[in-house]
Amino acid sequence: MPDTTETRKPRILLLSAYDAGSHRRWREQLVASQSGFEWQTLALAPRFFRWRIRGNALTWLNEPLLQQRWDLLLATSMVDLASIKGFHPHLANTPALLYMHENQFAYPESEGQHASVDPQMVNLFSATAATAVLFNSAWNRRSFLDGVDRLYQRLPDGVPEGSLEKLADKSRVLPVPIEDRLFVHRAKPLDRLCPHLLWNHRWEYDKGPERLLLLLDALVERGQEFRLSVVGEQFRQQPAVFDDILERHGERIVYWGFLADRDEYDRLLTTADVVVSTALHDFQGLSMLEAMASGCVALAPDRLAYPEYVPQIQLYPSVIDNASEEANGAADCLLALLNQGTEPYSPIRWSLGSLAGAYENMLITTVERHRLS
């Protein structure tokens, strides 16, 4: 019997133009958890950022998968969705979801890394071309819409009336899920006398490593003993402050560097006591969520996406323009958590088990609405 729309699985093409670690885990988990769809994936290596975000549609120009017809396109935030649809006219009316792991309007200005408006325009054009836009946190959504508003105010003319409102209307929050297996009960209580602190982020300036050093120094000044693991993705060039951390706190180090073995990393999550963020930008904070699921108390600044899932008592005051003051506030917050016997908070509502249905509903609804129209 020939295949029909009613009997076959909806066909989805997933496009990931900068397939960094969190992007890759998200798409692999999504495909594995949504067996009611037929999936194909196009992914580009996470290097040459400026070329990737501006040139991915050209890189894929002759891609055979883009010559086919699909029930749905699902693109990550680095994908130039508008150009994809323009280069392949048969996809122009195919419904498309844009998943915003991050947005180019909210990166902190530093080192000239994101000085060009080009990446922002790719985000804006892709969101405009999408049927719906999904964000991994409310802060990500809010900062994107605020950024678009600021950009529109700078443009000399030609801003389409109501376009910002249309973007807001089709924007939704749907976090990257935490794997269910990471939700475990701690085998032993937290060490409150000499806690094992975990800083598990990319080794880049925007994760605030200078603020981590100031926090560690502040704890030493207060006479607080601690052990320390500093792990995360590393790059050819990284802030020199990591050398300072190793030099001044090397005797406290448990783990240092990138843990390529996922099982070893998962064991670290279950043995650390406090997971620390000093980030200047974090659109969701998946590494924090995973550590919290594994039984760590969180210590995070009261900014970005953290207030959405970190209990208020585990948030220290955000002082963007005074890193030393912020570090002292973070140290005071940690000591209070230890003295008060604060227990870990499980972010269960961000688990795959809690979110898989929402993903399925979004995919089905988008496909079905297009069929009905």
Side-chain angles (χ1 to χ4, degrees):
M1 181 179 293
D3 192 21
T4 68
T5 301
E6 287 73 24
T7 59
R8 68 172 175 81
K9 295 180 179 181
R11 302 184 71 231
I12 302 177
L13 179 61
L14 195 162
L15 304 163
S16 180
Y18 197 84
D19 206 42
S22 60
H23 293 215
R24 184 179 66 255
R25 291 202 305 275
W26 169 81
R27 66 169 176 81
E28 290 175 347
Q29 181 175 240
L30 181 62
V31 171
S33 68
Q34 301 296 330
S35 59
F37 305 89
E38 177 189 331
W39 293 91
Q40 291 289 340
T41 300
L42 291 176
L44 297 176
R47 57 176 181 263
F48 314 128
F49 168 81
R50 289 189 178 281
W51 166 235
R52 281 289 181 268
I53 194 169
R54 198 64 191 92
N56 55 83
L58 191 62
T59 298
W60 283 327
L61 184 64
N62 299 318
E63 169 55 51
L65 285 174
L66 286 171
Q67 314 308 316
Q68 301 179 21
R69 295 190 179 275
W70 301 91
D71 295 302
L72 179 68
L73 302 177
L74 176 55
T76 60
S77 45
M78 299 292 187
V79 173
D80 185 354
L81 183 60
S83 293
I84 292 287
K85 284 177 167 275
F87 289 166
H88 306 278
H90 68 285
L91 298 177
N93 292 321
T94 302
L97 294 175
L98 181 67
Y99 193 86
M100 300 290 286
H101 290 273
E102 65 282 298
N103 77 79
Q104 298 303 311
F105 292 92
Y107 278 93
E109 296 180 4
S110 178
E111 303 179 4
Q113 188 171 353
H114 299 278
S116 172
V117 75
D118 235 21
Q120 297 177 355
M121 299 303 286
V122 171
N123 277 180
L124 174 56
F125 286 10
S126 294
T128 302
T131 307
V133 188
L134 308 177
F135 292 84
N136 58 3
S137 70
W139 181 81
N140 189 3
R141 178 181 183 273
R142 183 170 62 254
S143 63
F144 170 76
L145 293 173
D146 288 347
V148 172
D149 187 29
R150 289 192 300 271
L151 175 64
Y152 279 172
Q153 293 179 32
R154 290 165 46 198
L155 300 181
D157 62 17
V159 175
E161 184 177 352
S163 61
L164 182 61
E165 290 75 12
K166 289 179 181 178
L167 285 177
D169 288 344
K170 65 179 178 179
S171 296
R172 303 288 184 272
V173 176
L174 191 55
V176 174
I178 312 164
E179 295 176 73
D180 291 329
R181 66 179 182 82
L182 293 176
F183 287 84
V184 297
H185 293 291
R186 293 186 62 88
K188 59 180 181 179
L190 299 179
D191 186 340
R192 303 188 186 279
L193 296 179
C194 183
H196 182 176
L197 308 183
L198 170 63
W199 190 93
N200 55 341
H201 309 276
R202 284 184 289 102
W203 287 29
E204 292 188 292
Y205 77 96
D206 57 295
K207 297 303 181 182
E210 293 85 359
R211 294 172 184 247
L212 172 63
L213 178 57
L214 290 171
L215 167 59
L216 300 177
D217 289 347
L219 292 174
V220 171
E221 291 173 3
R222 286 160 171 76
Q224 175 62 54
E225 295 293 330
F226 60 88
R227 293 171 297 141
L228 176 67
S229 289
V230 178
V231 300
E233 189 177 6
Q234 297 172 291
F235 304 89
R236 284 175 296 179
Q237 294 183 338
Q238 61 192 35
V241 69
F242 285 103
D243 294 332
D244 298 330
I245 294 172
L246 188 59
E247 178 181 351
R248 281 148 68 169
H249 300 282
E251 74 280 2
R252 300 180 175 89
I253 297 297
V254 180
Y255 286 91
W256 181 265
F258 178 68
L259 292 183
D261 187 308
R262 179 69 202 203
D263 290 338
E264 186 177 9
Y265 177 71
D266 289 346
R267 284 193 294 272
L268 172 58
L269 296 183
T270 62
T271 57
D273 297 304
V274 180
V275 61
V276 179
S277 173
T278 51
L280 299 173
H281 106 260
D282 212 342
F283 291 101
Q284 178 176 350
L286 191 59
S287 64
M288 294 289 288
L289 282 159
E290 289 181 341
M292 291 170 65
S294 300
C296 288
V297 168
L299 181 69
D302 191 5
R303 59 172 173 258
L304 310 172
Y306 298 131
E308 297 175 41
Y309 58 84
V310 175
Q312 184 64 43
I313 194 176
Q314 297 176 29
L315 295 171
Y316 58 84
S318 173
V319 190
I320 289 292
D321 57 354
N322 192 323
S324 295
E325 181 180 340
E326 180 171 284
N328 284 317
D332 291 341
C333 182
L334 177 58
L335 266 59
L337 294 176
L338 297 175
N339 293 332
Q340 295 169 15
T342 302
E343 292 296 323
Y345 172 80
S346 178
I348 191 65
R349 63 189 179 91
W350 296 60
S351 68
L352 178 60
S354 298
L355 293 172
Y359 271 95
E360 181 183 29
N361 182 65
M362 176 59 70
L363 297 172
I364 291 176
T365 299
T366 307
V367 170
E368 290 303 319
R369 283 180 178 171
H370 178 72
R371 285 177 179 170
L372 292 174
S373 65

